């Protein structure tokens, strides 16, 4: 399947379905049909509207849509999204709050590179902005990155995080969500060994596969069933000539979306049928619950092939992070090197993506960290999405994370000073 033809075929099918939806909506909306009492006319227009929007949003990057936040003085503060570090495969961005002094809490939110854009954590960002200065990793769609930019695997990803942490400095508190959890842990350990003065103050790991074998899910079962050869042949394609990344090997977003939907096909099918009926009855709106969710869920991005394949092989199959055998740029990363960064894990009791046990395994890897700097939380009844963006996050987890940040915001003696003092004493 590693051909441009298969990539373009999927895009052609998507484009055709979008066109069919637009055509059905337009034809069923002719004024002459207003005299007809046939309910199928409204149903056809409704089907067309839902279909067109669904297939159109698959190739659009959602907007952050965070315009302002209320301030303590009762006035609204406008938000500007600024690039702090620009790189070919992803930028470090800041949600800059106008007319507000720097906050005591400085947070780096590491968004997943797992098929969706960083806007997946929009509600997380919105909830943190009133109390924190927020920075986010904004990963780029691989189809828009020229082949000349080179490869991007999990080692490159880890080094990106290292550079972002260095840029923000040691007063930063890092929150990693889902896929980047093990690599964020590795980046922190890398800094602990190579540049200890640049380490963040705290590290909050939310629902990520540090040890995928700690609890089985459909994701881990898939990783075990499929060989790397099969995966490369069935999942990897070349970007077509429509995009700047023409010829780049990727795991296409449309193919990923097919997998996402197949995991809960019945639920998604029911949601679309009900939305068509709501549109036909005039009960739907542009920003109703269905559209808010699927505008984000259906907006997918291509992943670099080497990043996807190395994630499956090294994180899930070989368990390099779980076994503390991860290597970055020829250097072994020892999680035991983390000795002063406070680490907290958060898991959802009903998480079917990264089941309880997979994330908390990070604490056992931090052998050099005292128990006083370790914490964990298991949220009862919460699924994967809920622990970072849903009700569980808003009501329970967010306050715990902010309290953890505050508890670990004290002054830290630089490692270089400690080293000089130790040498003087000897």
């Amino acid at each position: 399947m590693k051909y441009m033809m298969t990539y373009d075929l999927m895009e052609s099918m998507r484009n055709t379905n979008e066109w069919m939806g637009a055509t059905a909506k337009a034809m069923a909306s002719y004024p002459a049909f207003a005299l007809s009492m046939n309910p199928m006319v409204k149903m056809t227009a409704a089907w067309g509207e839902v279909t067109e929007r669904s297939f159109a949003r698959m190739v659009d990057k959602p907007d952050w849509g965070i315009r302002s936040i209320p301030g303590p003085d009762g006035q609204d503060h406008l938000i500007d999204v600024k690039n702090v570090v620009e790189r070919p495969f992803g930028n470090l961005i800041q949600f800059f709050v106008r007319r507000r002094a720097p906050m005591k809490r400085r947070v780096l939110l590491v968004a997943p590179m797992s098929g969706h854009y960083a806007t997946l954590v929009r509600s997380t960002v919105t909830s943190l902005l009133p109390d924190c200065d927020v920075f986010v990793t904004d990963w780029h769609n691989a189809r828009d990155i020229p082949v000349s930019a080179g490869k991007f695997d999990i080692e490159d990803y880890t080094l990106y995080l290292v550079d972002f942490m260095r840029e923000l400095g040691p007063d930063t508190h890092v929150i990693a969500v889902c896929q980047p959890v093990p690599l964020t842990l590795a980046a922190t350990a890398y800094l602990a060994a190579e540049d200890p003065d640049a380490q963040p103050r705290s590290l909050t790991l939310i629902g990520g596969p540090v040890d995928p074998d700690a609890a089985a899910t459909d994701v881990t079962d898939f990783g075990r069933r499929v060989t790397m050869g099969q995966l490369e042949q069935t999942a990897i394609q070349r970007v077509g000539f429509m995009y700047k990344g023409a010829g780049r090997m990727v795991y296409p977003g449309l193919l990923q979306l097919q997998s996402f939907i197949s995991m809960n096909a019945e639920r998604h099918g029911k949601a679309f049928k009900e939305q068509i009926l709501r549109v036909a009855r005039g009960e739907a709106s542009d920003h109703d619950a269905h559209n808010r969710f699927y505008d984000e869920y259906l907006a997918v991005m291509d992943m670099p092939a080497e990043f996807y394949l190395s994630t499956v092989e090294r994180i899930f199959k070989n368990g390099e992070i779980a076994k503390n055998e991860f290597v970055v740029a020829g250097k072994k990363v020892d999680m035991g090197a983390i000795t002063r960064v406070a680490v907290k894990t958060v898991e959802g009791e009903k998480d079917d993506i990264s089941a309880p046990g997979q994330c908390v395994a990070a604490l056992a890897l931090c052998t050099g960290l005292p128990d006083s700097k370790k914490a964990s939380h298991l949220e009862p009844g919460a699924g994967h999405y809920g622990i970072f963006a849903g009700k569980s996050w808003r009501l329970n987890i967010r306050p715990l994370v902010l309290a953890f940040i505050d508890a670990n915001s004290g002054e830290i003696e630089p490692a270089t000073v400690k080293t000089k003092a130790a040498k003087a004493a000897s």
Side-chain angles (χ1 to χ4, degrees):
M1 291 181 67
K2 295 185 291 184
Y3 304 100
M4 290 183 181
M5 181 180 65
T6 52
Y7 187 96
D8 286 340
L9 178 61
M10 285 197 306
E11 173 58 23
S12 297
M13 293 172 64
R14 185 211 62 78
N15 194 280
T16 300
N17 278 283
E18 180 186 353
W19 170 80
M20 288 174 62
T23 302
K25 177 184 176 182
M27 291 186 64
S29 299
Y30 274 113
F33 290 144
L35 297 173
S36 173
M37 301 300 291
N38 191 332
M40 287 306 298
V41 175
K42 282 190 175 181
M43 288 295 292
T44 300
W47 174 87
E49 180 177 328
V50 174
T51 300
E52 178 190 15
R53 181 166 183 154
S54 298
F55 284 92
R57 62 184 28 138
M58 293 178 186
V59 291
D60 292 332
K61 180 179 181 178
D63 186 74
W64 282 100
I66 304 174
R67 309 301 180 204
S68 65
I69 59 170
D73 51 3
Q75 296 181 339
D76 280 352
H77 293 262
L78 297 179
I79 305 295
D80 295 321
V81 180
K82 296 184 175 181
N83 287 328
V84 178
V85 178
E86 297 185 40
R87 293 291 178 81
F89 290 89
N91 296 344
L92 175 64
I93 61 174
Q94 178 187 8
F95 288 83
F96 180 77
V97 182
R98 296 188 195 176
R99 298 183 299 104
R100 189 177 79 173
M103 302 291 284
K104 291 183 179 180
R105 302 186 184 109
R106 185 180 178 90
V107 171
L108 168 59
L109 183 61
V110 184
M113 181 191 275
S114 55
H116 289 100
Y117 290 93
T119 51
L120 186 69
V121 296
R122 180 190 296 105
S123 60
T124 317
V125 172
T126 304
S127 71
L128 290 172
L129 272 175
D131 303 297
C132 313
D133 286 335
V134 181
F135 301 79
V136 180
T137 58
D138 188 22
W139 305 110
H140 298 162
N141 195 330
R143 74 182 182 203
D144 299 323
I145 305 171
V147 175
S148 58
K151 70 171 184 66
F152 189 77
D153 60 14
I154 59 174
E155 292 188 29
D156 299 306
Y157 185 107
T158 303
L159 292 174
Y160 265 48
L161 296 184
V162 168
D163 290 343
F164 292 163
M165 290 182 194
R166 278 192 175 123
E167 176 68 26
L168 295 180
D171 289 329
T172 307
H173 299 270
V174 179
I175 302 175
V177 175
C178 188
Q179 167 267 320
V181 162
L183 300 181
T184 305
L185 179 66
T188 306
Y190 184 94
L191 272 178
E194 299 295 322
D195 190 2
D197 288 342
Q199 296 176 88
R201 295 292 181 90
S202 72
L203 185 60
T204 302
L205 307 175
I206 301 178
V210 175
D211 183 5
D213 291 335
T217 64
D218 288 342
V219 177
T220 58
D221 289 345
F222 174 79
R224 291 296 181 192
R225 288 197 314 268
V226 182
T227 67
M228 293 307 300
Q230 290 172 326
L231 201 60
E232 187 172 358
Q233 289 299 318
T234 58
I236 305 304
Q237 299 177 8
R238 289 186 186 275
V239 176
F241 286 108
M242 281 183 61
Y243 301 103
K244 293 180 180 178
R248 176 176 290 280
M249 304 286 280
V250 298
Y251 180 23
L254 293 178
L255 201 58
Q256 296 173 62
L257 183 60
Q258 180 183 352
S259 300
F260 297 155
I261 291 179
S262 65
M263 292 177 66
N264 294 284
E266 185 176 350
R267 186 181 70 183
H268 292 301
K270 181 181 178 182
F272 280 94
K273 290 176 184 177
E274 291 176 349
Q275 182 68 359
I276 291 171
L277 293 174
R278 282 193 290 268
V279 172
R281 294 193 296 261
E283 299 173 355
S285 65
D286 193 47
H287 298 289
D288 59 26
H290 177 95
N291 284 326
R292 285 200 310 272
F293 176 77
Y294 282 102
D295 279 351
E296 194 68 55
Y297 186 81
L298 296 179
V300 288
M301 56 183 283
D302 297 351
M303 276 194 283
E306 56 274 12
F307 174 80
Y308 174 66
L309 294 175
S310 61
T311 297
V312 174
E313 182 174 20
R314 299 180 63 179
I315 303 297
F316 286 89
K317 286 186 174 292
N318 298 343
E320 292 184 19
I321 297 288
K323 297 174 183 176
N324 201 19
E325 298 175 352
F326 191 56
V327 175
V328 174
K331 300 176 181 178
K332 184 180 182 299
V333 178
D334 180 13
M335 309 306 166
I338 300 174
T339 58
R340 69 184 196 192
V341 180
V343 179
K344 182 183 183 70
T345 63
V346 177
E347 297 179 317
E349 182 185 26
K350 295 185 178 180
D351 190 339
D352 58 353
I353 303 296
S354 183
Q358 292 188 13
C359 190
V360 74
L363 299 182
L365 289 173
C366 297
T367 54
L369 194 65
D371 290 341
S372 60
K373 285 189 168 293
K374 296 180 182 180
S376 63
H377 175 72
L378 178 63
E379 181 66 17
H384 186 70
Y385 187 78
I387 57 177
F388 67 89
K391 180 180 179 181
S392 294
W393 164 262
R394 295 192 305 271
L395 299 183
N396 301 325
I397 298 172
R398 176 184 173 275
L400 292 175
V401 171
L402 292 180
F404 181 72
I405 288 174
D406 291 341
N408 294 281
S409 295
E411 292 295 327
I412 296 178
E413 184 181 358
T416 51
V417 175
K418 288 184 178 179
T419 302
K420 290 178 181 178
K423 288 181 178 179
S426 62

